[in-house]
Each structure stands twice: as C-alpha cells, then as structure tokens.
Amino acid sequence: MSLSLRSTDALLVIDMQNDFLPGGALAVKDGDAIIPGINELAAKFEHVILTQDWHPRGHISFASTHGKQPFFSTVEAPYGTQTLWPDHCLQGSRGAELHPGLDIPHAELILRKGFRQNIDSYSAFTENDRTTPTGLAGYLRERGLQRLFLTGLAYDFCVGYSALAAVKLGFEVLVVEDLSRAVGLPGTIDATNNAFAAQSVQRITSSALRD
Ligand code: VGL
Ligand code: ZN
C-alpha cells in the first residue's frame, strides 16, 4: 500500500515527552526508538501538531494523590474509572518537556492536555469525561485539515484515545503503528486494536508514506 499526502493532511505527534521515554517517570519501553522515524515522517508533512501531557500537582491521575500505588490501581472519578499513574508530566518540569531529539521545527501547534485538576485527558480531542473538548477539532476544522496521521506515545492510551475520539468527530484517522509504542497494561493493546477495527481507525506503517 502506498499513500500520497495531501495539503489537507496533518501529522499528530502525541506526547513525545521526557517522562514517557526511557529514564522518565512513566517510561514507555523503546519509546526512544521511534524518534528518528517521527522526525523523518514529519518532514514530509506540511502540517504537524505536537501534543504535551501537562498535569498540575496533585492531579487526579496520580496514584500519589490518592495514597495508592501506580499502574494497577484505579480510582472512581465522577466520569468513570481512572487508572492511576506515577507522577508525570508536571507542568513546567523537565519531564514534561518534549524530548530534545524531536526535530520538527515547522510544527504549527503544541496542544497541552490534562491540565484540569480533576479530569484526565488521554485524548488530544476529548477529555476522559468524554465531554470536555480540548479545542483541537475546532482548530483542525477551521484550517481545513481532514485526514490525520497519528504517531507517538502511548499506543494503548493517548494515541489510541486520540484516534478513536478523532474518528467520532468525523476525521479520517490513520495510526502509524511502527512510529508508536505501547504501555501494555493487561489487555490494553488488544482492546485498542479491537476498538480501532470496530471504529474504522486504519493502522498503517510509515513505509506506506515513503516516496
Ligand atoms: C499517557 C498515561 C498517562 C500517554 C498520559 O501519553 O499515553 N498515558 N498520561
Ligand atoms: Zn498523563
């Protein structure tokens, strides 16, 4: 399969921040392996948007906020079950910075998400209450950007939730699988793949975009 890019395409680079990369507070295994490929792919896109997970101290998604252990504990939020994580991507911290190896100077927008104390936001479009919009859909629509290619971290959380939210909002969505890596909690990768299949999120490899 080979795809030609259009001027109405956008590349979304999700959460390529120090805390999600090896050595970070919520490191995704081999997350750094995808940096060169993302840089290379981004150079082919006229429109690139970066996202940044951006939490305040005492955020609802931090296990420490609830006196619990991260990864396998949850809390019941008004909007449903929230998985608890180690403290990560604190606003203004080094861990929240985009990885210095990311080389996408022409990126047009850095969208921050997860900044509300009591709502987490895996998705770059709709927060975890499935109601609060981040504004990204409006930004893309107003600029006529219709087909979205997603890369970054983590496949089974922020990339997956962003892809599913975008499809629901009427965008065409392709996830570039070799330029993403998963956290891999029990069942999360299968659940992501099943939801992609059910909701017409396409999975491609970056080789489809090689010219
Ligand atoms: C993410 C867990 C918590 C992600 C963000 O970027 O996938 N995962 N916050
Ligand atoms: Zn987070």
Side-chain angles (χ1 to χ4, degrees), residues 8 35 54 80 99 103 126 139-140 161 169 189 199-200 211:
T8 50
I35 295 172
W54 196 251
H99 189 274
D103 184 18
T126 314
Y139 174 90
L140 294 166
Y161 279 70
L169 289 161
I189 299 174
Q199 291 172 61
S200 302
D211 41 33

Side-chain angles (χ1 to χ4, degrees), residues 1 172-176 196 200-204:
M1 185 185 65
E172 185 181 351
V173 182
L174 302 93
V175 172
V176 188
F196 283 179
S200 302
V201 171
Q202 298 169 68
R203 293 157 63 187
I204 63 164

Side-chain angles (χ1 to χ4, degrees), residues 4 7 13-16 23 32 37 43 86 88 111 122 138 140 155 185:
S4 359
S7 60
V13 179
I14 305 290
D15 297 0
M16 290 300 291
D32 50 345
H88 64 280
L111 181 102
Y122 296 142
L140 294 166
Y155 181 79
L185 297 187

Side-chain angles (χ1 to χ4, degrees), residues 95-170:
E97 288 171 16
L98 295 167
H99 189 274
L102 213 59
D103 184 18
I104 316 179
H106 65 297
E108 296 171 356
L109 173 72
I110 299 175
L111 181 102
R112 289 172 171 169
K113 62 181 179 63
F115 50 76
R116 287 186 177 80
Q117 192 80 29
N118 294 313
I119 315 179
D120 199 8
S121 190
Y122 296 142
S123 163
F125 293 88
T126 314
E127 302 198 19
N128 285 14
D129 61 359
R130 294 185 287 277
T131 313
T132 307
T134 64
L136 182 56
Y139 174 90
L140 294 166
R141 284 188 191 127
E142 192 164 15
R143 305 192 60 240
L145 302 171
Q146 296 162 346
R147 189 169 66 160
L148 310 178
F149 293 79
L150 270 65
T151 61
L153 302 170
Y155 181 79
D156 44 349
F157 286 93
C158 291
V159 173
Y161 279 70
S162 297
L164 293 163
V167 156
K168 212 167 156 191
L169 289 161

Side-chain angles (χ1 to χ4, degrees), residues 10-30:
L11 179 70
L12 269 60
V13 179
I14 305 290
D15 297 0
M16 290 300 291
Q17 296 163 264
N18 291 323
D19 269 345
F20 295 125
L21 292 157
L26 178 33
V28 177
K29 192 171 177 294
D30 298 329

